[in-house]
Amino acid sequence: MIYQGEEIPAGQELVGEICVVGAGAAGITCALELERYGKKVILLEAGGIERSKESQRLYAGKSTGMPYSISHTRLRVFGGTTEHWSGFCAPLDSEDFERKNYIKYSGWPITREELNPYYKKAAKILKLGQYNDNPDHWIDEKNGFMRYPYGEDLTEKIWHFSPPVRFGRDYKKHFEKSENVDVFLNSPVVDMTLDESTSRVGRVTVQSADKRYYVRAKKIILACGGLEVPRLLLNFNKQIAKGLGNESDNVGRFFQEHPEFHRAGTLLITGPTAHSKLYRGHTRKLKTRIAGFTQISNEIRVQKKLLSMAFYQLGADQLDDLGKEIQYYSNNLYGHQKYKDNIRVFRFIAEQEPNRDCRVQLDSKKDALGLFQPKLNLGLTDFDIRSMRDSVSTFANIISKHNIGKVKLLYPEMLESTREVVKKYMGWGNHHMGATRMSKNPSEGVVDTNCKVHTVDNLYIGSPSVFVTSGCSNPTFTIVALAVRLAEHVNNTL
Amino acid sequence: MKDDLKIVDRRTLIAFACGALSASGVFIFIPDGSKPISQQELIAVIKQLNPPKSLVAHIKQTWLGKSNLLDELYENIQKKLKDIPSTRVAIEAQITEDYEANKVMVVDGWIMSRTEVALCLMANG
């Protein structure tokens, strides 16, 4: 059933087996999975069915680092940020989980292999059709799916595209009829109270309109987004002065985004594979849609000490007069005159290193519910900047070295004055990751390998905030995979 | 533009490069073990190549006099030819090496190897 929070009488206490806080991709996935296991779930959503300015205003906050819109990069509505999601899905790479000696604070306590079965389930939830992230699976030369001849210097990384699933709109009817999941809209959580042992959450306080009601559950899953989860934990500081789960001062730290250049330059692709569909692939016959993005090989990344980055083609581009002359000259060099060139816009999405000082804290200003607003210090380290510059030049050099074509940078000055170019032209992926990171050791993170808060026995986090590193994959696919895994664990341990 | 010109592959370009260098009295390479090409043949190759004038002008304006590109090319190819008997292969190897070592130049945003830029300059004499 779906209820409005305003309908719940003041002071009433609701009891369920599991309370899920937040109805976005992670929260709804957890609720659906737990429902499948026959569990009784209370799903609390701070927003309503429709977006409203009033609700969205409660997502306001301050950015003290690089310019960043805290409220516009997330949605406070049933369905969460999937309501304006573009549907890009790719798993994190095996290497993303590994400890790299040149990336401080890298290394997940779980492996990609452990997540593989959950990625498969996530693919179904996100309606990806035929899911296969192995590029070889999609090579089909007869039908024009060819690999560019760049040897082993570059690799393809397959992105699948969700229709996209809008979790709110798509699952509203399902929850209206659900007997095991009760959804409460306009029900923001404003406090969590530990029981006498101080190792378990005893009661969740919800404020709807001008009254409060309460929820008790055996297990609680915080699934309200990568910024809101750390903000709430820091706000819940009546019993633990530093905030819930923050004994080791890790809540809010290691916040990561995906730096992006939405238009990085032009790819002039020549030769027999110039028009390969692999890099802009549509496979409608298979009822799925994929595209091969390009990555620098892990071997070269390790050798050059680079973070992850994916380059991808956006659409057709045009050459100016000088570009046409370079095209002509380039084709003379390559002997590619007989082929029809392909001219594409390219963009990239980059990884940001985990940085303790890139963090979510509480501002001194409170929101209308009496909670301190978030204060985000988002910045890029010299390593982030150097990696971005060297990755771009390495990519361009490899494309040329293998006679695949030529690369034009829209902002060539980024090779000399990268930080200035980044300040002026760089965008963000609007992905909020890392601020309650996973760790084996409680001193190094906030949640354990099961996404349970180290210091609270019945509190779990379903959010990209548990990411240790962020790779270059859009996070939703991993968020959903981790949510499926979390629901399985919660069911098994209830 | 492309339709008006004959197809010129990298081999031809090397021949052209040899021509440009020989015209300057520096050296004559023998492409792929064949006989030295004559001046007329070289001129023909240059005409065939016909690098776009505004590209050459742009490169000249940006780089000529600011870099020892031509000397560098000559030295690099000389070194390569100690182990590689073919000028064509030597130049290809040098271009590959340029990109591997990030020896590149930016021409109106386009990333080009130093050897490619030097060849372009020579193509216009």
Side-chain angles (χ1 to χ4, degrees):
Chain A
M1 293 288 286
I2 296 182
Y3 303 93
Q4 299 296 324
E6 300 91 319
E7 298 169 6
I8 311 301
Q12 180 153 337
E13 194 167 272
L14 307 175
V15 180
E17 289 183 293
I18 299 127
C19 172
V20 178
V21 179
I28 286 181
T29 298
C30 283
L32 290 169
E33 289 293 296
L34 289 164
E35 178 188 44
R36 206 167 53 80
Y37 291 126
K39 301 298 182 220
K40 293 278 185 187
V41 178
I42 292 172
L43 177 56
L44 302 172
E45 167 53 44
I49 287 289
E50 301 292 337
R51 298 187 211 177
S52 76
K53 285 182 182 174
E54 191 184 346
S55 175
Q56 199 62 30
R57 263 198 291 274
L58 285 157
Y59 264 173
K62 187 194 283 181
S63 180
T64 58
M66 294 175 74
Y68 194 79
S69 173
I70 287 174
S71 64
H72 290 104
T73 52
R74 52 196 183 140
L75 289 178
R76 196 173 181 275
V77 68
F78 185 62
T81 308
T82 64
E83 298 304 297
H84 69 187
W85 174 49
S86 55
F88 283 44
C89 289
L92 289 169
D93 298 324
S94 296
E95 305 89 56
D96 293 329
F97 291 82
E98 294 167 2
R99 163 94 185 122
K100 290 189 169 77
N101 59 15
Y102 64 92
I103 306 175
K104 201 177 177 185
Y105 304 116
S106 62
W108 289 55
I110 59 172
T111 64
R112 161 65 197 270
E113 285 62 40
E114 288 174 64
L115 275 191
N116 279 345
Y118 305 102
Y119 275 129
K120 282 184 182 167
K121 289 181 181 175
K124 285 182 182 168
I125 292 167
L126 293 168
K127 299 177 183 169
L128 301 189
Q130 188 196 8
Y131 168 69
N132 194 317
D133 71 320
N134 182 352
D136 293 340
H137 175 83
W138 300 102
I139 303 295
D140 178 4
E141 294 191 5
K142 281 183 186 169
N143 289 306
F145 286 79
M146 299 156 294
R147 175 175 274 141
Y148 293 151
Y150 39 49
E152 294 180 352
D153 289 347
L154 300 176
T155 57
E156 290 88 10
K157 180 174 167 67
I158 299 296
W159 252 256
H160 287 69
F161 295 91
S162 174
V165 171
R166 306 285 182 209
F167 276 81
R169 281 173 252 177
D170 290 9
Y171 290 104
K172 179 172 169 274
K173 281 186 182 170
H174 174 89
F175 287 123
E176 280 172 346
K177 293 175 185 170
S178 174
E179 293 182 357
N180 278 3
V181 180
D182 284 334
V183 179
F184 295 87
L185 300 170
N186 303 313
S187 295
V189 171
V190 292
D191 200 8
M192 284 189 185
T193 310
L194 297 174
D195 65 12
E196 290 171 356
S197 69
T198 68
S199 62
R200 295 178 63 82
V201 174
R203 196 172 74 165
V204 175
T205 304
V206 182
Q207 178 152 343
S208 196
D210 55 354
K211 60 180 186 291
R212 289 186 167 191
Y213 70 92
Y214 306 97
V215 176
R216 285 189 187 276
K218 291 176 185 168
K219 290 181 187 278
I220 292 136
I221 298 173
L222 258 184
C224 44
L227 260 169
E228 197 65 356
V229 166
R231 177 177 91 104
L232 290 184
L233 290 175
L234 292 170
N235 263 289
F236 302 158
N237 57 6
K238 285 177 188 160
Q239 292 160 289
I240 309 288
K242 286 182 179 176
L244 211 53
N246 195 29
E247 287 82 348
S248 301
D249 188 27
N250 283 311
V251 172
R253 293 188 182 274
F254 301 102
F255 181 88
Q256 292 153 65
E257 246 281 14
H258 279 136
E260 287 192 15
F261 270 78
H262 301 303
R263 189 184 172 115
T266 302
L267 271 178
L268 164 61
I269 313 161
T270 66
T273 59
H275 288 269
S276 170
K277 293 177 185 172
L278 182 63
Y279 305 93
R280 51 183 177 86
H282 297 264
T283 52
R284 296 192 191 283
K285 282 181 188 172
L286 298 170
K287 293 181 181 174
T288 188
R289 192 173 155 227
I290 60 117
F293 289 16
T294 309
Q295 278 182 301
I296 296 163
S297 73
N298 189 51
E299 192 181 342
I300 293 176
R301 272 188 279 152
V302 171
Q303 182 197 334
K304 291 180 179 272
K305 296 185 169 62
L306 301 175
L307 294 157
S308 187
M309 187 185 271
F311 299 86
Y312 58 108
Q313 298 177 18
L314 189 61
D317 203 358
Q318 289 187 326
L319 298 177
D320 59 16
D321 287 345
L322 193 69
K324 286 175 185 168
E325 296 199 348
I326 286 177
Q327 176 185 25
Y328 169 75
Y329 176 64
S330 169
N331 276 336
N332 279 355
L333 280 171
Y334 299 146
H336 281 170
Q337 297 90 337
K338 61 184 175 184
Y339 303 109
K340 190 182 172 195
D341 295 338
N342 195 0
I343 298 150
R344 311 284 292 175
V345 174
F346 78 96
R347 61 197 296 184
F348 66 76
I349 174 169
E351 182 180 25
Q352 186 184 359
E353 71 163 324
N355 171 8
R356 274 183 68 81
D357 297 328
C358 201
R359 63 190 296 199
V360 182
Q361 293 173 286
L362 298 181
D363 191 21
S364 56
K365 195 175 170 186
K366 287 186 175 180
D367 64 17
L369 298 169
L371 297 180
F372 289 104
Q373 291 185 347
K375 182 173 70 176
L376 176 66
N377 179 34
L378 177 59
L380 294 173
T381 64
D382 289 344
F383 177 31
D384 293 325
I385 297 286
R386 197 269 299 163
S387 174
M388 212 180 304
R389 180 199 66 200
D390 289 357
S391 295
V392 168
S393 71
T394 300
F395 169 73
N397 290 347
I398 292 171
I399 291 287
S400 300
K401 172 188 153 188
H402 290 283
N403 296 353
I404 295 161
K406 282 271 175 279
V407 176
K408 179 180 181 175
L409 301 180
L410 187 58
Y411 310 110
E413 61 272 31
M414 85 172 296
L415 299 177
E416 301 291 335
S417 315
T418 315
R419 196 172 276 280
E420 283 68 31
V421 170
V422 161
K423 271 184 191 169
K424 274 188 189 170
Y425 305 111
M426 196 196 76
W428 298 101
N430 301 337
H431 307 148
H432 304 154
M433 303 163 288
T436 62
R437 66 193 335 238
M438 184 189 286
S439 69
K440 267 189 182 164
N441 188 330
S443 67
E444 293 171 354
V446 178
V447 299
D448 66 13
T449 54
N450 293 313
C451 296
K452 186 189 81 63
V453 174
H454 280 297
T455 53
V456 186
D457 289 345
N458 66 340
L459 181 60
Y460 295 82
I461 295 179
S463 159
S465 60
V466 304
F467 287 17
V468 177
T469 52
S470 48
C472 61
S473 306
N474 299 67
T476 303
F477 194 35
T478 302
I479 293 169
V480 173
L482 283 170
V484 173
R485 180 175 173 272
L486 172 56
E488 182 183 277
H489 171 78
V490 166
N491 175 60
N492 290 342
T493 55
L494 200 64
Chain B
M1 182 171 64
K2 196 187 290 186
D3 295 339
D4 299 330
L5 294 161
K6 292 177 183 175
I7 291 172
V8 182
D9 61 13
R10 192 174 274 179
R11 175 187 294 251
T12 313
L13 184 69
I14 278 58
F16 152 70
C18 298
L21 289 168
S22 69
S24 66
V26 180
F27 72 115
I28 294 178
F29 288 125
I30 303 169
D32 296 332
S34 63
K35 289 178 183 176
I37 46 179
S38 69
Q39 197 169 356
Q40 287 77 10
E41 285 169 326
L42 288 172
I43 290 167
V45 168
I46 292 166
K47 280 183 180 173
Q48 260 191 334
L49 185 68
N50 192 20
K53 285 179 184 173
S54 54
L55 171 63
V56 174
H58 187 92
I59 289 175
K60 272 185 176 175
Q61 188 184 357
T62 313
W63 296 108
L64 206 61
K66 296 175 188 171
S67 177
N68 58 345
L69 276 175
L70 302 184
D71 293 343
E72 187 181 295
L73 176 67
Y74 172 65
E75 282 175 24
N76 286 336
I77 299 305
Q78 284 279 47
K79 282 181 197 168
K80 285 270 177 300
L81 284 170
K82 286 178 185 171
D83 302 316
I84 302 172
S86 154
T87 312
R88 175 181 67 84
V89 177
I91 288 190
E92 279 185 355
Q94 186 56 47
I95 290 174
T96 300
E97 196 175 293
D98 281 357
Y99 282 119
E100 282 177 346
N102 197 28
K103 289 181 181 173
V104 296
M105 306 177 89
V106 180
V107 179
D108 193 39
W110 293 92
I111 309 294
M112 297 177 76
S113 86
R114 292 178 71 87
T115 301
E116 285 174 318
V117 172
L119 289 170
C120 190
L121 278 177
M122 285 195 298
N124 214 42

